[in-house]
Amino acid sequence: MKKLLTILFLFCLIAVPITATEPTSSHYLGQLEASNITLDFNDIHIETYDVLGSKYVPLFRLREIGLNVHYDSQTGIIKVTSNEFPTTQATLSDVPLIHQYYSLYEHDIWINNFKTHGIDSQDNVLIPIGALRELYHIEINGTSYKMIPKEPLHISATLDQITNDLPTPVSLSVVDLYWDNGFTYQPSHYDLKPLETITRPANTLHASKKYLSTVITKAEGYELNYTNENMFGQINTRLFERYSLAQNTDYLASLGDPIDIGTLIWAEDTINQSGLSSKTPYLIWTNTARQRTYIFEGSKGNWKLIKHFLCSTGKSHSPTPKGTFELTYKVPYFGVEKGYRCKNAFGFIGTTYLYHSVMFDKTGTYLLKGKGELGTPASAGCIRLSVENSEWLYNNMISGTRVFID
């Protein structure tokens, strides 16, 4: 016992608390984070949220400051327009969204005549701040983004048609934006007569891609008053990469035991927010509440999940120690002298506590009765894995790799 306490003292560091709640939907792509940017309108200050490096604003906040926000319950389409009589003062509701999970909103959102993407977080829809440039000049001053009403362009462009509501002709350049594991920019040019609408032919070249938006990049004789680099806030590469990942069932299957995109992102976000580091390019997290082992590759704050294993940790009377440890000692098998065989054993507290396979007879031929279960606490303190998964850990992990158990 004294030897065990000494080993625990040497290898166990202060446990890092991880309190994030696992998402309940397989479609979630991340968690909303607080942003230091405020969206300011008539001395009203609206909080914004960071979504993988881009800033988003809740639509209910825009309604509270006087914009018209209409939701069609039949189609899911949302339309946002400016108000002829804007609010000069407003009482904002207390609805914080920090750390709520979000998914991509799957229906159209129109800011006047501009189509934007959005995210859905527990029935609250948020849009990129950049999309508001359809209605306002956005004046940036440090962390303040001021909304200043502007004269409408009177020219609109969608995937289906181009409209010139001006009494004069106009020469117009537009870009159709698509996503398919990367952004595709399809430029077009049009010369429109006064008050003319042109129907655009279907673009069969990009029919298999996800259409995002159409952006007017140039209107000869008219000042657009915005830059086109992020296409009105539509360029959020990390968001759409995660969206593609969610559709890639082959990739998710390659991670080991079944996992959905929501759980993958939850695990990565949780471990990256923990501040954990490792001496090697790998980190192992075993969560005893969920009876899961997650293996990451990368570095502090930038861990990517590479494997997800169902496991069994210690029973209530023989619990697996919690804390931070390191992989130390590995053997092909152990326990033969006691009448059983555990394969592919890699210790994280000396030779006392190890990751290993489920338990076989001493020849390693067949599973011992009641010793093959995974997903519930069943061991004397070690962490059991399937034979296949224990073999992967044994062959691919390195001594010195950080192990976190909570």
Side-chain angles (χ1 to χ4, degrees), residues 82-297:
S82 57
N83 196 321
E84 184 179 353
F85 304 101
T87 301
T88 56
Q89 59 182 358
T91 300
L92 302 182
S93 57
D94 183 17
V95 186
L97 305 181
I98 296 174
H99 301 320
Q100 289 189 8
Y101 285 90
Y102 59 82
S103 57
L104 197 66
Y105 189 70
E106 293 291 356
H107 306 287
D108 289 353
I109 304 174
W110 293 92
I111 311 299
N112 203 17
N113 293 311
F114 175 75
K115 183 179 181 297
T116 180
H117 74 270
I119 57 173
D120 184 0
S121 178
Q122 298 185 15
D123 296 326
N124 291 299
V125 177
L126 296 85
I127 62 169
I129 290 179
L132 290 173
R133 292 184 185 275
E134 170 69 11
L135 300 175
Y136 299 91
H137 295 301
I138 305 295
E139 184 180 276
I140 300 175
N141 184 14
T143 59
S144 170
Y145 283 33
K146 187 175 182 180
M147 298 166 56
I148 303 173
K150 71 175 185 179
E151 178 68 21
L153 187 59
H154 300 296
I155 307 167
S156 61
T158 69
L159 188 64
D160 302 318
Q161 66 182 30
I162 308 290
T163 298
N164 177 22
D165 287 328
L166 294 164
T168 55
V170 65
S171 184
L172 198 68
S173 296
V174 303
V175 169
D176 295 317
L177 185 65
Y178 298 86
W179 174 265
D180 183 22
N181 293 315
F183 289 107
T184 297
Y185 303 81
Q186 181 62 54
S188 302
H189 185 83
Y190 298 90
D191 293 310
L192 287 90
K193 300 174 184 177
L195 305 176
E196 181 182 19
T197 294
I198 297 176
T199 300
R200 305 179 71 189
N203 193 330
T204 56
L205 179 64
H206 303 299
S208 63
K209 299 177 182 179
K210 183 177 181 63
Y211 167 68
L212 299 179
S213 188
T214 297
V215 178
I216 298 174
T217 56
K218 185 177 181 181
E220 289 187 9
Y222 296 88
E223 179 62 50
L224 297 182
N225 290 316
Y226 60 83
T227 58
N228 301 315
E229 285 123 7
N230 73 350
M231 297 286 172
F232 277 66
Q234 303 309 297
I235 307 300
N236 188 336
T237 303
R238 292 175 63 197
L239 175 68
F240 286 101
E241 284 177 343
R242 287 190 173 187
Y243 176 79
S244 291
L245 198 61
Q247 319 303 312
N248 190 343
T249 55
D250 289 341
Y251 171 76
L252 294 175
S254 74
L255 297 177
D257 291 321
I259 187 172
D260 58 52
I261 186 65
T263 303
L264 181 152
I265 291 169
W266 164 80
E268 289 186 347
D269 286 349
T270 302
I271 212 68
N272 282 317
Q273 291 165 15
S274 73
L276 286 167
S277 60
S278 178
K279 294 177 183 177
T280 75
Y282 303 103
L283 184 148
I284 302 174
W285 172 27
T286 293
N287 184 277
T288 58
R290 297 169 181 83
Q291 295 292 290
R292 298 292 191 274
T293 291
Y294 308 91
I295 301 179
F296 304 86
E297 184 175 13

